[in-house]
Amino acid sequence: GTVHVYLIWYGDWNQANGSDTPTGQALIRTFLGNVGGSPYFNINTTYPGVSGLVALSSMEVTDTGSLGATLTDANVQSLVSTAISSGKLPRDTNGLYFVLTSTNVAESSGFCTQYCGWHSWFPKGKVAVKFSFVGDPSGPMVKNCAAQSVSPNRDVAGDAMASTIAHELTETVTDPTLKGWRTARGEENADRCAWQYGKVHTLPSGAYANMTLGSREWLIQLNWVNDSSPHCGLS
């Protein structure tokens, strides 16, 4: 069915510079509000049981730092669980809960050095709650999560987050409880195409882009097309 996306903004998202600003938040909402039903996301319909539909919920949670400035993986799960238990977000079997952290927050197990985001799940009642962590990579290690130093929307870290969000979103819908689609080597679909972008065009700013969503240009990693001629593609 339709994937319902819920956002949990953790840290200080009202900074004056960088991507962790209201403008940066709006950029991410624009991407998630338009990716569902796109040729790109419809690649996932080549996997069993995936509809290709995404709905961005208007229900959001803002947490300026209740668990401190360094989060563990368990803390990320706790933020999602608390948001549901408190009634701020629904317990939704078709939900995907993104925990998006600002630059003043660290994720202790390897953000920007080993990964740019990840997804997992946990049981809550009779619902398998799917969730994902994606952090704002602004700073000296932004190049570890950003494909280019000039980006389509003039927000290098925000554009990088959009591509990472796409990665985790497509992996979650095809491997929601980590027992779904994987290769014999354990790769999920987005892993097959990580850091590949296909045919790109150059914008006046010098940035590369490969798709248009919601009247904006984006550079989003390819996804694995799971048909009779499997390959990395944009549609």
Side-chain angles (χ1 to χ4, degrees):
T2 300
V3 179
H4 305 143
V5 174
Y6 303 94
L7 304 181
I8 299 174
W9 305 98
Y10 187 85
D12 182 2
W13 281 90
N14 285 288
Q15 300 190 49
N17 300 302
S19 56
D20 42 5
T21 64
T23 301
Q25 290 177 306
L27 184 65
I28 291 171
R29 292 188 191 103
T30 297
F31 176 74
L32 283 168
N34 289 277
V35 69
S38 67
Y40 172 77
F41 195 75
N42 281 341
I43 291 173
N44 295 306
T45 63
T46 62
Y47 297 79
V50 182
S51 71
L53 300 176
V54 176
L56 176 61
S57 174
S58 60
M59 300 176 67
E60 297 184 353
V61 169
T62 297
D63 185 329
T64 57
S66 64
L67 298 182
T70 301
L71 298 180
T72 64
D73 292 357
N75 289 152
V76 174
Q77 176 177 317
S78 178
L79 288 168
V80 177
S81 183
T82 298
I84 296 171
S85 297
S86 66
K88 293 179 179 178
L89 296 178
R91 184 173 59 181
D92 187 348
T93 189
N94 284 345
L96 171 53
Y97 304 79
F98 275 103
V99 176
L100 307 173
T101 58
S102 61
T103 55
N104 67 318
V105 177
E107 218 270 346
S108 62
S109 59
F111 176 57
C112 272
T113 57
Q114 300 174 36
Y115 56 79
C116 302
W118 51 266
H119 74 99
S120 190
W121 74 284
F122 63 93
K124 195 169 184 66
K126 296 182 179 180
V127 171
V129 176
K130 280 74 70 178
F131 70 104
S132 174
F133 162 82
V134 177
D136 186 318
S138 295
M141 292 191 293
V142 67
K143 63 182 183 296
N144 292 346
C145 292
Q148 54 188 338
S149 58
V150 179
S151 71
N153 296 292
R154 302 181 183 276
D155 184 340
V156 172
D159 278 312
M161 289 182 74
S163 189
T164 301
I165 286 169
H167 180 116
E168 301 305 330
L169 177 61
T170 58
E171 287 185 344
T172 299
V173 299
T174 56
D175 188 19
T177 58
L178 311 184
K179 295 180 180 179
W181 193 94
R182 288 175 181 259
T183 68
R185 293 185 295 179
E187 296 169 306
E188 295 177 296
N189 59 347
D191 294 330
R192 295 282 291 154
C193 307
W195 301 104
Q196 298 181 49
Y197 300 94
K199 184 178 180 179
V200 301
H201 55 274
T202 306
L203 302 176
S205 65
Y208 295 115
N210 61 4
M211 70 176 71
T212 302
L213 295 173
S215 76
R216 285 183 177 270
E217 300 274 4
W218 308 87
L219 184 70
I220 303 297
Q221 74 148 73
L222 305 182
N223 192 14
W224 186 251
V225 181
N226 186 36
D227 61 10
S228 57
S229 300
H231 63 282
C232 291
L234 285 173
S235 61

